[in-house]
Amino acid sequence: MEEAIESSLKEWQKIEPPEEFVKKANMNDPDIYDMAEKDYERFWEGIAENIDWYSKWKSVLEWEPPHARWFIEGKLNASYNCLDRHIDSRGDKTAIIWEGEKGDIRKYTYRQLLDATSRFANSLKDMGVKKGDIVTIYLPMIPEAVIAMLACARIGAPHSVVFAGFSADALAQRIENSRSKFLITCDGYLRRGKEIPHKKRADEGVSRVDTVDKVIVVRHTGSDVPMSKQRDVWWHEVMDSASTGCDPEIMDSEDMLFLMYTSGTTGKPKGVVHTTGGYMVGTHITTNWVFDIKEDDIYWCTADVGWITGHSYIVYGPLSNGATILIYEGAPDYPERDRFWDIVERHKVTIFYTAPTAIRAFMRWGEDIPAKHDLSTLRLLGTVGEPINPRAWLWYYENIGNKRCPVVDTWWQTETGMIMITPLPGITPLKPGSATRPFPGIKAKVLDDEGNEVSQGHGGYLALTRPWPSMIRTVYKNEQRFIDTYWSKWDIDTYMSEDGARRDEDSYFWILGRVDDVIKVAGHRLGTMEIESTLVSHPEVAEAAVVGKKDEVKGEVIVAYVTLAERISESDNLMSDLVDHVADEIGPIARPAHIFFTDELPKTRSGKIMRRILKSIADGEDVGDITTLQNPEIVEELKRKVDESG
Ligand code: WTA
């Protein structure tokens, strides 16, 4: 088997873009790279013409590292670019096809989406939301999530979308940091046929903060939920009484469009600030060139709107291109494991963008499942979120794309806002497992600790050495963290991605994964420190260390090593209590797959926990040098525990 794959990999060393595809591709001129390289500011200036501005910028870029300002004094509105500007030519075109887990379908044309957005924008205003107020959105995958985001953008109120799978506590933490006064949520939603009591979680979250005055509740499942008299209002009621038509607020290019909390090395998630002009320019063009969006495409990105992928490649990128997007509420294996392919077939999806973890799950379920469906409408496939192993890439290419569809492996981050390293499907020969090369105008390098470029084939840190329009502007209310995290490893103008990478003989990039304490579980970004502090907040836990263990499907799973307070015996109950505790405090995605109790954690003489060693133990790998530990004997003991657990 392995051999067959090896030879197959050789055979597929480079996959040239299909001729037919190249001919029609939105971008098929290989000179675009050189052109952008000659003068990247001029390049981005030309690209910015694809966005509608109330007034144009006075200059393209002000770069005072690490602060960049793009399209200075340009005025625009993001929701105008996603809606109003399409009305003349695409008013009756479908903007959103939504499918519920039960199979119910709702559609919005561009005109209907504009109408709903305007009404909701007016409702927000009626409620007292002003330009600059941060609105928290805590909604599952329903059209109202998109409408709420666009309505916020319309009135200049930055949104902070919190992933619906996060717990009350995680919600509270994000509301607290942003001091947000408004929350949009819903009664409940379906996950594998079961209703998740979302309003209850939202209420718990709100009760832990003192900022929220108003909660708007979407009636989605129709279940009975308690409504707080002064505070809560129904979405449909405010919509009914809202006036139609809402002039978009004229926003400065550098006004904040949204905040997106993401995990990093230290305990608390950080609020990544994105602004309007550069973000719209970057997401618009990457959607157009990387996904090759055309007028009649049905585009489906399976990410959740609660993550950056949902922001950039469900909402702002595709809608600013006037695309038809598909949104699915539920799980990929409900009611059966062919749900995704059934959706592709029924809605005639042409472009499909998902995460490697999903592909690996499909692979495990077997190729017979997609083979039962007509997937011939597909013409382009994409992946994002974690490194894709060549085997999974090939499986995707062969079994979903039938060797006809280019696969774009897109590397980027919450902080980059837009896709940074990616093939352009009409130009770039593909190599399974490689994100290939930087998007035109983007400069990426692989550096060593001293900031020197490492030679071909060797691993180093992935760095971005030139500003780009949709780059993170700061960490909300924590400028120091912004500088320390991203701009302090080398010179102040060089962005540290916290990913490892290497380049091959064609200068293609191969992303090796995170080099910090962030783990990616099924594509979701989690900080080990967040999980550790949650474990330690349990009364019976004294100390905890969390690492990512390699996993064939999820990429990584969470392994926790825990020392207990006093000598409480490690009952089975305690193990499941701790797992539940983490799920309650952060969300089910943060659930540890294994917990090992130990009397001690391996520490250096200065008392620092050696996570590197704990990771090697979890992965069953050689632990390397342990002579600097104050308690080297603990290593053997932990290895034995991990081995015994199978
Ligand atoms: C990882 C998701 C390899 C990487 C858009 C990055 C990838 C982190 C890829 C950001 C890819 C994303 N190949 N790794 N194509 N895309 N990553 O902020 O480790 O949720 O730093 O943004 O995902 O995760 P985030």
Side-chain angles (χ1 to χ4, degrees):
M1 182 68 180
E2 285 303 323
E3 247 167 57
I5 281 163
E6 281 305 310
S7 68
S8 175
L9 280 177
K10 286 220 176 74
E11 183 187 327
W12 293 117
Q13 263 288 307
K14 256 192 195 165
I15 301 171
E16 295 294 330
E19 222 171 277
E20 273 310 294
F21 195 103
V22 175
K23 259 194 261 163
K24 296 188 208 144
N26 290 350
M27 175 40 71
N28 54 13
D29 176 8
D31 292 339
I32 191 72
Y33 290 97
D34 287 343
M35 208 202 82
E37 219 41 34
K38 247 182 232 142
D39 185 340
Y40 74 93
E41 288 188 40
R42 282 269 305 273
F43 167 75
W44 285 117
E45 177 159 35
I47 297 294
E49 298 289 345
N50 295 303
I51 290 296
D52 281 8
W53 303 79
Y54 297 115
S55 56
K56 291 273 170 74
W57 51 92
K58 300 244 162 64
S59 60
V60 178
L61 171 66
E62 253 176 44
W63 178 218
E64 290 168 22
H67 296 284
R69 292 160 46 79
W70 282 87
F71 310 112
I72 315 295
E73 288 184 46
K75 307 285 178 204
L76 76 164
N77 181 285
S79 96
Y80 179 92
N81 274 282
C82 292
L83 300 169
D84 307 61
R85 69 159 169 172
H86 303 310
I87 296 303
D88 285 347
S89 58
R90 306 184 173 111
D92 297 321
K93 175 175 173 172
T94 304
I96 299 180
I97 305 171
W98 177 83
E99 180 161 318
E101 205 184 60
K102 284 191 298 203
D104 37 338
I105 289 165
R106 276 159 66 188
K107 290 186 182 177
Y108 287 80
T109 63
Y110 270 93
R111 202 183 312 281
Q112 289 164 334
L113 191 60
L114 171 61
D115 180 60
T117 300
S118 301
R119 272 173 188 272
F120 192 61
N122 285 331
S123 315
L124 289 174
K125 278 191 189 169
D126 292 345
M127 229 166 281
V129 181
K130 302 227 156 42
K131 182 173 174 178
D133 286 346
I134 292 171
V135 176
T136 304
I137 301 177
Y138 186 49
L139 284 174
M141 293 294 282
I142 55 177
E144 285 81 357
V146 179
I147 295 166
M149 287 166 74
L150 292 173
C152 287
R154 197 161 189 88
I155 63 171
H159 51 71
S160 162
V161 182
V162 178
F163 174 53
F166 274 140
S167 67
D169 224 48
L171 171 67
Q173 207 176 41
R174 286 157 177 77
I175 294 178
E176 180 66 45
N177 183 265
S178 64
R179 305 298 298 164
S180 171
K181 289 187 284 192
F182 306 93
L183 174 70
I184 305 166
T185 188
C186 72
D187 48 6
Y189 63 96
L190 293 176
R191 203 66 192 171
R192 295 197 176 84
K194 213 179 105 204
E195 178 163 352
I196 311 285
H198 199 55
K199 172 71 163 54
K200 191 166 152 258
R201 265 205 308 231
D203 283 343
E204 273 169 38
V206 170
S207 73
R208 288 176 209 181
V209 295
D210 59 5
T211 57
V212 178
D213 304 332
K214 277 276 168 254
V215 178
I216 305 169
V217 187
V218 176
R219 178 172 280 161
H220 177 51
T221 56
S223 297
D224 255 353
V225 291
M227 296 286 280
S228 153
K229 235 194 188 143
Q230 299 300 321
R231 193 195 66 188
D232 299 357
V233 289
W234 286 107
W235 169 290
H236 57 270
E237 285 177 6
V238 295
M239 285 291 263
D240 278 350
S241 56
S243 47
T244 55
C246 170
D247 285 340
E249 193 72 35
I250 295 178
M251 302 299 285
D252 187 83
S253 182
E254 283 299 326
D255 279 338
M256 195 198 317
L257 177 60
F258 65 86
L259 253 183
M260 172 93 245
Y261 284 89
T262 190
S263 299
T265 295
T266 51
K268 288 208 169 124
K270 50 197 168 199
V272 171
V273 172
H274 280 292
T275 57
T276 312
Y279 179 82
M280 290 307 292
V281 170
T283 53
H284 177 275
I285 197 63
T286 43
T287 306
N288 194 288
W289 289 0
V290 177
F291 298 117
D292 195 50
I293 293 253
K294 302 262 181 5
E295 209 47 57
D296 50 1
D297 275 311
I298 310 284
Y299 166 91
W300 183 17
C301 163
T302 69
D304 193 286
V305 284
W307 305 110
I308 192 70
T309 308
H311 282 49
S312 301
Y313 298 108
I314 294 177
V315 183
Y316 293 106
L319 295 179
S320 68
N321 275 280
T324 299
I325 62 170
L326 189 135
I327 298 177
Y328 167 56
E329 174 185 28
D333 53 354
Y334 191 85
E336 301 292 338
R337 288 175 165 179
D338 67 341
R339 182 62 185 264
F340 272 19
W341 317 123
D342 180 47
I343 291 176
V344 168
E345 178 173 359
R346 275 186 293 109
H347 295 289
K348 301 192 168 34
V349 171
T350 58
I351 302 170
F352 181 72
Y353 189 34
T354 197
T357 184
I359 298 167
R360 290 190 296 260
F362 301 142
M363 222 172 130
R364 183 183 259 191
W365 298 341
E367 52 258 33
D368 309 353
I369 293 176
K372 283 193 298 203
H373 291 276
D374 177 7
L375 306 180
S376 62
T377 50
L378 288 171
R379 63 180 196 88
L380 181 69
L381 304 174
T383 83
V384 61
E386 27 164 352
I388 179 161
N389 42 318
R391 211 170 133 182
W393 194 105
L394 274 174
W395 188 91
Y396 192 35
Y397 181 70
E398 291 175 358
N399 294 287
I400 306 303
N402 197 15
K403 301 187 194 169
R404 285 179 301 106
C405 310
V407 174
V408 289
D409 172 1
T410 62
W411 176 86
W412 59 295
Q413 307 176 301
T414 303
E415 294 86 344
T416 69
M418 63 180 243
I419 292 171
M420 301 296 280
I421 302 183
T422 178
L424 291 180
I427 299 176
T428 320
L430 307 172
K431 289 189 197 181
S434 168
T436 76
R437 51 189 302 198
F439 192 81
I442 302 298
K443 189 101 188 146
K445 289 184 180 166
V446 180
L447 303 179
D448 65 14
D449 278 305
E450 280 70 50
N452 303 312
E453 260 191 281
V454 304
S455 50
Q456 176 203 318
H458 292 274
Y461 305 103
L462 179 58
L464 301 167
T465 57
R466 183 192 278 167
W468 63 100
S470 62
M471 63 199 282
I472 174 176
R473 295 305 197 263
T474 189
V475 171
Y476 192 61
K477 291 204 245 165
N478 203 341
E479 171 66 13
Q480 199 54 47
R481 193 163 171 199
F482 168 67
I483 295 171
D484 293 347
T485 311
Y486 306 107
W487 307 98
S488 298
K489 177 135 182 95
W490 308 288
D491 292 339
I492 190 83
D493 60 356
T494 304
Y495 173 89
M496 165 59 161
S497 71
E498 311 267 15
D499 272 322
R502 67 180 172 80
R503 300 181 78 168
D504 69 11
E505 63 284 3
D506 295 314
S507 287
Y508 275 25
F509 285 80
W510 296 73
I511 313 295
L512 304 171
R514 302 287 301 195
V515 295
D516 60 357
D517 293 325
V518 165
I519 38 189
K520 282 249 146 170
V521 181
H524 301 313
R525 180 166 163 180
L526 294 162
T528 50
M529 282 281 287
E530 276 170 273
I531 305 167
E532 287 169 7
S533 5
T534 303
L535 284 166
V536 174
S537 72
H538 190 280
E540 290 174 24
V541 173
E543 203 171 29
V546 164
V547 297
K549 170 181 158 38
K550 288 188 193 128
D551 181 88
E552 238 182 65
V553 174
K554 294 183 173 174
E556 285 181 296
V557 293
I558 295 162
V559 173
Y561 299 86
V562 168
T563 62
L564 297 176
E566 305 300 315
R567 289 220 156 237
I568 297 161
S569 69
E570 354 161 325
S571 62
D572 280 356
N573 265 351
L574 181 56
M575 177 115 44
S576 59
D577 275 3
L578 288 180
V579 171
D580 290 347
H581 176 65
V582 175
D584 288 348
E585 296 287 311
I586 304 179
I589 50 167
R591 215 178 261 279
H594 307 277
I595 294 184
F596 298 107
F597 295 110
T598 171
D599 291 337
E600 280 176 55
L601 294 168
K603 288 185 181 166
T604 60
R605 298 216 172 94
S606 58
K608 198 170 168 277
I609 299 174
M610 291 291 281
R611 290 191 181 69
R612 171 184 67 76
I613 291 175
L614 291 170
K615 179 163 171 52
S616 303
I617 296 174
D619 286 332
E621 285 170 0
D622 181 24
V623 292
D625 181 26
I626 54 169
T627 52
T628 57
L629 292 183
Q630 49 166 288
N631 51 354
E633 66 289 347
I634 200 71
V635 172
E636 280 311 311
E637 197 182 316
L638 282 173
K639 271 198 201 150
R640 191 178 41 75
K641 283 197 180 171
V642 172
D643 280 352
E644 277 168 10
S645 79

